[in-house]
Amino acid sequence: KLQFLYFIAPKPPLQAPMKTIRLLVHSGIEVVADIVHPTTVGYPYYVYLHGFCSVRVSEKSEILRMRAEKRGFGYARMDFTGHGESGGSLEHVTLSRFVEEAAVLLRQLKGEAHVVGSSIGALVAMKASTISDNNIKSLLLIAPAAQIIARWQRHPRSSDGHIVMQSPYVGDVKVNGDLTKDAAENGFLDEQLAKGVTVPTAVVHGKLDEVISDKDAKSLFEMIPKTTPKMWELIPSGGHRLNEPFDNIITLYESFLLDNGLLAHQ
């Protein structure tokens, strides 16, 4: 009696394993990033850019990573200079440096990117999208730090010239005294940032945001050119972090991408 053995080949993984890499961006300073490449040619990446005094591994970044895995997309995130496992210190950071770091990360990818920026990370994402030859196809701005530069310009300074900031999450923080000068000179004021955004952009803000007012965020949204596809969503019960509704926010963002022809029915 013949017996036939059937072998069912396992499905290939939708993503390659996550790799943690170190990128030399500034003289002698390395930034740490995680990258997962898609195994399907042509599939895009979700990229997460964290906020000030935050880190790359967080509740929101993990939700985004799992969504990328579910769709078979690539995924990338990083710790900016002075944050998490990256080198440097907050006393030397500038937003221009953050954009340079984000640009280096984006160049490591093998396809198009949909960039999700939280708070300061949203401003960095906006600026990065204006750099020539970038691979950013859309933006999701989570609680964008509207009017933050103008507020920082009014912050008290220490005797050594550093800006003293009060973070609701980590307490008092000393940062580079030239941070606001750099921001003003390199196009990080709200109107300067917004007018350069041309990729489809979704902005989500919490009505109960304790750091950035929804009025300031809505004003930033309205400064984005009318010719740019854009979406505004206010979360009535949301604070600044928007951790709890983030999975639903990603679903909303994906519907926006679908409507703009940027997301296939995978």
Side-chain angles (χ1 to χ4, degrees):
K1 185 178 180 179
L2 295 177
Q3 289 184 324
F4 295 92
L5 299 177
Y6 294 92
F7 173 71
I8 300 176
K11 292 182 179 181
L14 296 176
Q15 294 178 319
M18 179 181 286
K19 293 184 178 180
T20 298
I21 62 174
R22 294 182 177 273
L23 302 169
L24 186 62
V25 180
H26 312 294
S27 179
I29 297 178
E30 291 182 327
V31 295
V32 176
D34 300 321
I35 297 180
V36 182
H37 295 295
T39 58
T40 302
V41 176
Y43 272 33
Y45 293 75
Y46 280 155
V47 178
Y48 183 78
L49 301 179
H50 66 75
F52 208 74
C53 294
S54 186
V55 291
R56 74 185 192 280
V57 181
S58 66
E59 188 172 346
K60 287 194 293 289
S61 75
E62 279 297 291
I63 291 171
L64 186 64
R65 180 190 64 77
M66 289 187 288
R67 185 63 67 95
E69 182 178 22
K70 180 180 179 180
R71 284 195 170 272
F73 289 0
Y75 178 71
R77 62 190 178 192
M78 70 186 308
D79 283 331
F80 289 125
T81 297
H83 294 75
E85 296 181 70
S86 291
S89 70
L90 288 175
E91 296 184 19
H92 299 97
V93 303
T94 63
L95 298 191
S96 292
R97 281 193 169 194
F98 288 173
V99 172
E100 182 182 350
E101 292 159 13
V104 170
L105 175 65
L106 288 164
R107 287 196 290 270
Q108 308 301 310
L109 310 184
K110 300 175 181 178
E112 298 175 344
H114 300 292
V115 180
V116 178
S118 177
S119 193
I120 283 293
L123 306 189
V124 174
M126 293 172 76
K127 188 67 174 178
S129 75
T130 68
I131 297 174
S132 61
D133 299 325
N134 72 77
N135 54 349
I136 298 175
K137 294 303 174 183
S138 76
L139 300 174
L140 171 57
L141 310 180
I142 302 296
Q147 290 297 315
I148 196 69
I149 304 304
R151 285 169 49 189
W152 284 353
Q153 288 173 330
R154 299 190 294 269
H155 269 286
R157 306 234 171 188
S158 61
S159 58
D160 56 3
H162 289 97
I163 301 171
V164 181
M165 297 170 47
Q166 294 80 40
S167 166
Y169 309 117
V170 297
D172 289 352
V173 179
K174 288 174 62 176
V175 300
N176 188 352
D178 291 330
L179 188 150
T180 53
K181 179 182 178 182
D182 165 84
E185 291 179 351
N186 291 287
F188 286 93
L189 299 180
D190 284 13
E191 187 174 2
Q192 296 171 320
L193 277 176
K195 70 180 182 180
V197 175
T198 59
V199 298
T201 300
V203 181
V204 181
H205 208 84
K207 180 67 176 175
L208 304 181
D209 193 314
E210 66 280 16
V211 179
I212 306 295
S213 78
D214 62 291
K215 291 181 180 179
D216 285 342
K218 183 66 179 294
S219 178
L220 176 68
F221 169 80
E222 291 174 343
M223 291 176 188
I224 297 172
K226 293 182 179 179
T227 53
T228 298
K230 57 183 181 178
M231 180 197 78
W232 165 263
E233 185 72 19
L234 185 66
I235 308 296
S237 61
H240 188 62
R241 289 184 169 180
L242 291 174
N243 286 339
E244 186 173 336
F246 194 63
D247 191 60
N248 291 334
I249 289 171
I250 296 301
T251 298
L252 189 67
Y253 176 49
E254 290 184 334
S255 295
F256 173 71
L257 295 180
L258 190 62
D259 290 343
N260 285 277
L262 294 172
L263 189 67
H265 288 281
Q266 279 115 351

